[in-house]
Amino acid sequence: VPLAQLSAMVDKWRPAVAPLAADRVFEPADLRAAIDNGELVNYYQPKVDVRSGTVVGVETLVRWQHPVEGLVYPDQFITLAEEHGLILDLTGVVLASAMDQARIWHEQGLHLRVAVNLSMETFSSVTFANFVSSAANTAGVAPQDVILEVTESRLMLDQRAPLEILTRLRLKRFRLSIDDFGTGHSSFTQLRDIPFDELKIDRSFVHGATRDRTALAMYHASLDLGKQLGMEVVAEGVEDRDDWDLVRRTHCDIAQGYFIARPMPADDLVAWIEVWNQRRVELAASAL
Ligand code: C2E
Ligand code: MG
Ligand code: MG
Ligand code: MG
């Protein structure tokens, strides 16, 4: 069994494995130790160009390889990190390792953009822009190859620091992405205030949209808006053939989701790309 297929299988077991860890409430001290002991591992999920099928980048998604609980998903510890002052350290570890990985891929001739998730809670001080830039610099990765995916939170709406930091990062040529667009506080106001390069349509408006008039309307509206603002538009949650056909038919720029690939360990990516390169030719040839 090819590695990529194996990792897809492992991820498919998530529903069976997750309940154990899902019931587990972690203590801030556990997470503190996990950060220090290197128990956080980055998984990477491909983002592909819809028209050509080319792999244009990956999104970094952190997991906690817990010695007892197994693989713990970010839903179970990101909020904890945010609430206990650990998010900056967590982000530092994730970012450093993602930048190292980006350099390794670049050295292998894979010119991928690497996206990292940042919660607004991270933006507590203006020095954060320097922190990100030195992480990229240290690894020798150009800011243009780094995408910072930002999700908004209600708490930060009135504060000026996040806007300043994002503007500084944009001036340093990092690419900014507005994540989960259309949900929560990821909305119009942010688009007006912050110069985003990329808009990611939330998966609730993508997966199954062809069978849901409301979701479909929101999908179209988000796609139009992103295009009119000159942004690259990403559809997340492309889970099946119907979703894939929708993004092709409507000329969305980039797609991401289980139909293409599940998040995988860095070492599986090269093998996965080989498999995908065969599949994408067939997909591109098939009628809409
Ligand atoms: P996100 O940034 O919106 O990431 C996408 C999530 O959707 C990932 O879940 C991914 O595995 C999942 N996904 C991808 N394709 C599909 C699909 O086709 N169908 C469905 N149903 N789901 C899909 P994951 O890895 O559990 O991450 C959840 C959230 O945790 C992320 O949402 C992100 O907001 C946050 N997160 C992950 N890593 C980090 C990190 O390093 N820092 C911060 N601050 N947040 C992170
Ligand atoms: Mg994201
Ligand atoms: Mg998202
Ligand atoms: Mg999401």
Side-chain angles (χ1 to χ4, degrees), residues 179-180 202-203 236:
D179 205 354
D180 302 334
D202 189 70
R203 69 164 181 264
E236 59 172 43

Side-chain angles (χ1 to χ4, degrees), residues 123-124 155-163:
F123 303 145
S124 47
L155 288 173
M156 304 304 280
L157 275 180
D158 301 328
Q159 300 189 17
R160 275 189 39 236
L163 296 185

Side-chain angles (χ1 to χ4, degrees), residues 49-239:
D49 179 85
V50 170
R51 196 193 309 238
S52 65
T54 312
V55 183
V56 289
V58 293
E59 175 177 4
T60 308
L61 294 158
V62 67
R63 275 96 180 84
W64 178 358
Q65 186 63 68
H66 193 282
V68 178
E69 307 289 343
L71 204 59
V72 182
Y73 285 77
D75 299 349
Q76 275 178 265
F77 60 87
I78 293 294
T79 309
L80 185 75
E82 289 168 355
E83 288 172 353
H84 292 88
L86 299 171
I87 192 69
L88 203 61
D89 287 352
L90 181 148
T91 303
V93 167
V94 171
L95 191 63
S97 141
M99 294 299 96
D100 282 346
Q101 190 56 56
R103 198 209 41 244
I104 292 169
W105 282 323
H106 292 172
E107 284 168 0
Q108 293 173 345
L110 280 177
H111 280 104
L112 301 173
R113 286 185 173 151
V114 175
V116 173
N117 289 287
L118 302 177
S119 32
M120 276 290 193
E121 280 77 0
T122 318
F123 303 145
S124 47
S125 91
V126 283
T127 58
F128 184 71
N130 293 332
F131 173 84
V132 173
S133 241
S134 71
N137 266 329
T138 304
V141 176
Q144 293 92 321
D145 291 330
V146 181
I147 301 181
L148 305 170
E149 293 190 9
V150 180
T151 37
E152 178 61 286
S153 94
R154 199 164 54 85
L155 288 173
M156 304 304 280
L157 275 180
D158 301 328
Q159 300 189 17
R160 275 189 39 236
L163 296 185
E164 267 186 57
I165 293 165
L166 287 169
T167 306
R168 277 171 202 255
L169 286 165
R170 189 66 191 78
L171 289 172
K172 290 174 190 281
R173 302 272 184 273
F174 286 95
R175 302 175 72 86
L176 305 183
S177 170
I178 183 163
D179 205 354
D180 302 334
F181 185 76
T183 65
H185 297 268
S186 177
S187 61
F188 278 62
T189 313
Q190 282 68 50
L191 287 183
R192 194 186 47 198
D193 294 342
I194 302 166
F196 287 105
D197 303 276
E198 179 185 272
L199 181 152
K200 296 188 81 173
I201 306 174
D202 189 70
R203 69 164 181 264
S204 57
F205 308 125
V206 176
H207 174 55
T210 52
R211 298 179 298 279
D212 178 340
R213 288 169 51 102
T214 308
L216 190 61
M218 290 172 181
Y219 167 81
H220 280 296
S222 307
L223 178 60
D224 266 15
L225 182 63
K227 293 227 171 189
Q228 292 201 35
L229 293 174
M231 300 162 78
E232 284 205 298
V233 183
V234 181
E236 59 172 43
V238 174
E239 277 191 32

